[in-house]
Amino acid sequence: MRISKIFVTVDAIVLKITAIGFLLLLIKRKNEPFKDLWALPGGFLDENEDLEKAAIRELEEETQIKVEALEQIGTFGKPFRDPRGHTISVAYLGFVPENTIAVAADDAKEAEWFPINQLPELAFDHSAIIQTALKKHDL
């Protein structure tokens, strides 16, 4: 019997609308890989955990933002997207009120809102994930 060495992660694309347009929530990674680069909040799926619940949990753990639901926008699984091994990420999209504040926690060094057209360099393939979400919603 062959045992898979493929891991599953979840990522949360969280947007809020403001007077200057849509802002995207990013976290600065506290740990390798891509330490000190900006990334989407997210992480590994726990055993026996629902995908959407995992995305909601990771969002809260890393940013202290609580949401009730997120919309699945795609699955990303190109080999070598994560230097730790073959990882498949299921990405989710959510919108929060304009006054939502993010506070970095867990393995996030910082949490910050960025205009969607002025994003910093991102870890992993998070630029492609964000572009997919924005295209799906004509943003």
Side-chain angles (χ1 to χ4, degrees), residues 10 13 19 23 32 58 63 66 68 84 105 114 125 128 134:
V10 290
I13 300 108
L23 298 181
E32 295 292 350
E58 284 287 344
T63 69
K66 295 180 185 183
E68 295 293 320
R84 295 171 291 193
F114 291 86
D125 57 352
L134 296 177

Side-chain angles (χ1 to χ4, degrees), residues 9-15 23-27 39-44 51-63 65 67 69-74 76 81 89-96 112-113 122 126 129-130 133:
T9 60
V10 290
D11 290 308
I13 300 108
V14 178
L15 297 168
L23 298 181
L24 172 72
L25 177 63
L26 296 173
I27 58 105
L40 294 167
F44 288 96
L51 288 164
E52 182 185 10
K53 287 188 179 6
I56 291 169
R57 173 184 55 79
E58 284 287 344
L59 175 63
E60 184 177 356
E61 284 177 3
E62 294 184 347
T63 69
I65 292 175
V67 296
L70 295 168
E71 172 194 351
Q72 190 177 128
I73 59 104
F76 302 83
R81 62 179 294 279
S89 183
V90 182
Y92 286 85
L93 175 67
F95 295 87
V96 295
E112 192 171 320
W113 296 95
L122 298 173
H126 289 185
I129 293 172
I130 293 164

Side-chain angles (χ1 to χ4, degrees), residues 3-58:
I3 296 177
S4 176
K5 294 180 182 171
I6 299 173
F7 299 97
V8 179
T9 60
V10 290
D11 290 308
I13 300 108
V14 178
L15 297 168
K16 67 179 179 178
I17 184 70
T18 69
I20 62 166
F22 283 101
L23 298 181
L24 172 72
L25 177 63
L26 296 173
I27 58 105
K28 185 176 274 189
R29 292 182 53 83
K30 192 186 285 186
N31 304 310
E32 295 292 350
F34 303 109
K35 182 180 179 180
D36 292 325
L37 276 184
W38 293 97
L40 294 167
F44 288 96
L45 183 72
D46 289 339
E47 191 171 347
N48 300 317
E49 186 175 29
D50 176 79
L51 288 164
E52 182 185 10
K53 287 188 179 6
I56 291 169
R57 173 184 55 79
E58 284 287 344

Side-chain angles (χ1 to χ4, degrees), residues 108-119:
K109 190 180 210 176
E110 297 176 38
E112 192 171 320
W113 296 95
F114 291 86
I116 59 173
N117 59 351
Q118 295 175 15
L119 300 179

